[in-house]
Amino acid sequence: LSAILCGEEAPGGLWGADPPSYNQRASITQARLRILERTGQHEAYLHLANAERHYDDYALKLLQLDRVREAITAGLEQPLSDEGLLELARALYEHGEMESAFQVAERDLHRLAATAPSEQALSMVAEQEAEFGRYGSHSRNELAVWLRDRAAEQGQLERALAAGELAFRLAPSLVAYQKIKPLAGAHWPDVRRSLLDFLRQGERYISAEIKVDVFLHEQQVDDAIAAVRDHYVSPQTLAGVMDAAIPSRPDWVIAQARQQAESIMDGAKSAYYEDAAQWLRKVRQAYEALGQKARWRAYLDTLCDKHQRKYKLMPLLRAL
């Protein structure tokens, strides 16, 4: 330990041939780093952090000591965690080192370039998926979001676009999707097509609700229907898809809304009769969109005959 604190090589490392578990080593090293920090032993702190591969602590300590160039080199060359890269990028940005902050943020995002943003984002995601799996990490998404927003503030739209596309692919949401359009400019039609295709691929980790949000935002009704067809969604989400589908897919709305309403009425779930009436209103609207009001009246009459003994339900049916 004394040799390492002095920056010397220690044969066998700090722990020798029978090291404790990783968590134990990490806890002990963190305790030692805190002591070195409090006692002002900055060089010893750097030597220990580097030797024990606490690269996040090492890089941030360099910046704290105003050794900016060394901190940047560490951020670009050492295997910092996503959390460490984000913290270092933020610190460099606040330090006035804007370009270096962006380069550090990009490092685990596969060093985005400022040209051909759409193609690079696609390539980058493919590499990320191969290396880290489809889910990515929350911190990596935070890193992409931070880079997207800061680069946009600085007018670096191509860089912001590439980061924005990756942020959407790591953590899809309508908000993340909407952030991309103003960054894409003339590229938007191609970028839009690419992102919608990404959602259509049916990746399991993307919830049907998120797909529906984006598809309805883009008025892609058939895609929204496909998203809810084989997956559970909340009644609110399903109702939203039905509302959007009434003009173009009334037959689908009729089938789905009838199924929802009839399961409640046939099951005598009196606490949910109001919900059944809401579903039936969508059936009525879909029949009206088809110009088939007579079929709606015939269907409603059938329901009234079938459920005439359900005194809580009948006033709701008559109101339709």
Side-chain angles (χ1 to χ4, degrees), residues 43-273:
E43 288 300 320
Y45 181 106
L46 291 170
H47 293 321
L48 179 61
N50 194 44
E52 285 298 281
R53 301 181 181 180
H54 284 231
Y55 298 122
D56 295 0
D57 297 310
Y58 177 79
L60 289 165
K61 183 63 174 176
L62 286 170
L63 190 60
Q64 179 189 338
L65 296 174
D66 208 30
R67 291 160 62 172
V68 179
R69 293 298 102 195
E70 293 175 77
I72 293 170
T73 298
L76 293 175
E77 296 180 0
Q78 290 188 333
L80 277 67
S81 68
D82 293 327
E83 294 88 342
L85 287 170
L86 178 58
E87 190 174 354
L88 181 60
R90 284 172 170 165
L92 285 168
Y93 192 85
E94 293 170 1
H95 212 78
E97 297 287 340
M98 184 183 70
E99 180 59 28
S100 295
F102 289 165
Q103 290 177 8
V104 167
E106 289 171 343
R107 202 206 67 184
D108 253 20
L109 306 181
H110 292 266
R111 301 181 183 273
L112 304 177
T115 58
S118 299
E119 290 78 8
Q120 286 203 346
L122 287 169
S123 173
M124 202 169 51
V125 169
E127 293 177 28
Q128 287 258 341
E129 291 168 1
E131 186 175 355
F132 299 107
R134 290 294 299 173
Y135 291 85
S137 74
H138 176 70
S139 297
R140 187 166 300 121
N141 177 59
E142 283 191 300
L143 196 59
V145 167
W146 180 87
L147 178 59
R148 177 198 68 198
D149 294 345
R150 299 292 83 73
E153 288 173 0
Q154 299 300 325
Q156 299 188 25
L157 298 186
E158 291 182 338
R159 175 177 257 161
L161 173 60
E165 287 189 72
L166 181 57
F168 175 78
R169 292 167 186 272
L170 289 173
S173 72
L174 178 57
V175 171
Y177 181 85
Q178 291 173 311
K179 291 280 188 180
I180 296 172
K181 184 175 181 178
L183 304 175
H187 297 288
W188 175 240
D190 291 335
V191 173
R192 174 183 179 273
R193 188 180 308 112
S194 173
L195 297 179
L196 293 180
D197 285 344
F198 171 74
L199 291 181
R200 292 184 187 111
Q201 290 169 4
E203 301 299 341
R204 293 181 180 179
Y205 78 98
I206 306 175
S207 75
E209 276 86 357
I210 289 172
K211 292 183 180 182
V212 166
D213 286 344
V214 176
F215 287 140
L216 291 187
H217 174 75
E218 290 291 351
Q219 300 180 347
Q220 302 294 305
V221 174
D222 288 343
D223 287 318
I225 290 173
V228 302
R229 183 175 295 131
D230 300 319
H231 300 87
Y232 171 80
V233 293
S234 69
Q236 294 81 5
T237 298
L238 182 59
V241 176
M242 288 184 186
D243 289 339
I246 286 171
S248 60
R249 295 289 182 268
D251 289 326
W252 177 83
V253 175
I254 290 169
Q256 292 297 312
R258 282 185 56 168
Q259 178 182 336
Q260 295 292 324
E262 290 170 9
S263 68
I264 295 171
M265 295 183 294
D266 293 345
K269 302 173 183 176
S270 59
Y272 300 99
Y273 283 163

